[in-house]
């Protein structure tokens, strides 16, 4: 298995930005976790390493990373396999994420800037992108339906040797 060194998290929380007319966008956020990987790493090994990493044990619903946890987002950890990730184009990833971000109307400029500098920068610099498709209700953990939307991508940047796990969700 390929080793990943956790670099750090970045979170863009929509509630940190003022929306006009009190629009309710406060329960959405983007979480990015970045990892360095060694030269010569293969995608299959990188995907397996990120799924096995303790930082992957995150319910994305306020509990944070639980190194001994059994959940990942809305799913039981055991239900998520590295082979579940499907290759996607930059255009597809950008479209999904932009539609999700703008689904309730326009964004404040400060939030657009923050998303461009974090989320879309990772997508645009990626050599390859993968998406975790919906795994179905059978994969949900005991309270896995709390997320209204849950979008997960892995961006692999060969030039910087950085893998970024991107989660855009709301609850």
């Amino acid at each position: 298995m390929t080793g990943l060194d956790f670099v750090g998290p970045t979170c863009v929380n929509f509630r940190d930005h003022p929306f006009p007319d009190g629009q309710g966008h406060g329960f959405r956020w983007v979480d990015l976790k970045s990892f360095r990987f060694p030269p010569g790493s293969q995608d299959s090994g990188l995907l397996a390493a990120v799924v096995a990493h303790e930082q992957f044990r995150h319910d994305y619903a306020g509990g944070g990373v639980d190194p001994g946890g059994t959940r990942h987002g809305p799913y039981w950890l055991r239900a998520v396999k590295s082979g579940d990730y499907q290759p996607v184009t930059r255009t597809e990833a950008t479209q999904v994420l932009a539609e999700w971000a703008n689904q309730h109307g326009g964004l404040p400029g400060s939030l657009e800037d923050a998303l461009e500098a974090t989320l879309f920068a990772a997508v645009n610099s990626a050599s390859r992108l993968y998406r975790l498709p919906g795994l179905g209700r059978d994969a949900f953990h005991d309270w896995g339906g709390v997320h209204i939307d849950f979008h997960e991508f892995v961006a692999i940047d060969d030039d910087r040797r950085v893998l970024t796990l991107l989660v855009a969700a709301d609850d």
Side-chain angles (χ1 to χ4, degrees):
M1 185 182 309
T2 302
L4 292 176
D5 293 322
F6 182 59
V7 177
T10 301
C11 184
V12 179
N13 193 325
F14 281 42
R15 91 184 99 208
D16 296 337
H17 300 271
F19 282 84
D21 303 319
Q23 295 173 6
H25 295 276
F27 299 102
R28 292 190 295 154
W29 40 262
V30 173
D31 184 272
L32 298 92
K33 290 182 177 62
S34 297
F35 305 83
R36 292 221 182 274
F37 60 84
S41 298
Q42 301 297 311
D43 289 5
S44 59
L46 291 173
L47 292 169
V50 78
V51 169
H53 201 282
E54 75 175 27
Q55 289 294 318
F56 195 78
R57 297 166 184 254
H58 194 300
D59 60 27
Y60 297 105
V65 173
D66 179 0
T70 58
R71 294 175 181 87
H72 173 75
Y75 306 117
W76 289 113
L77 184 63
R78 68 179 178 267
V80 184
K81 308 289 185 244
S82 60
D84 293 331
Y85 288 84
Q86 301 296 311
V88 294
T89 67
R90 181 174 288 114
T91 300
E92 291 168 316
T94 299
Q95 180 179 352
V96 167
L97 294 167
E99 286 177 3
W100 172 81
N102 292 286
Q103 67 182 306
H104 299 296
L107 302 176
S110 61
L111 179 54
E112 284 183 5
D113 293 346
L115 291 174
E116 191 60 42
T118 56
L119 178 66
F120 293 109
V123 169
N124 290 331
S125 69
S127 306
R128 286 166 311 290
L129 292 155
Y130 293 87
R131 182 177 188 188
L132 181 66
L135 301 178
R137 295 196 64 80
D138 289 344
F140 277 5
H141 56 68
D142 46 350
W143 46 269
V146 70
H147 296 289
I148 297 165
D149 285 312
F150 185 84
H151 302 285
E152 180 172 327
F153 294 86
V154 171
I156 299 173
D157 183 334
D158 290 328
D159 292 337
R160 295 179 27 230
R161 290 197 340 256
V162 171
L163 177 151
T164 305
L165 177 64
L166 312 163
V167 173
D170 44 29
D171 52 38

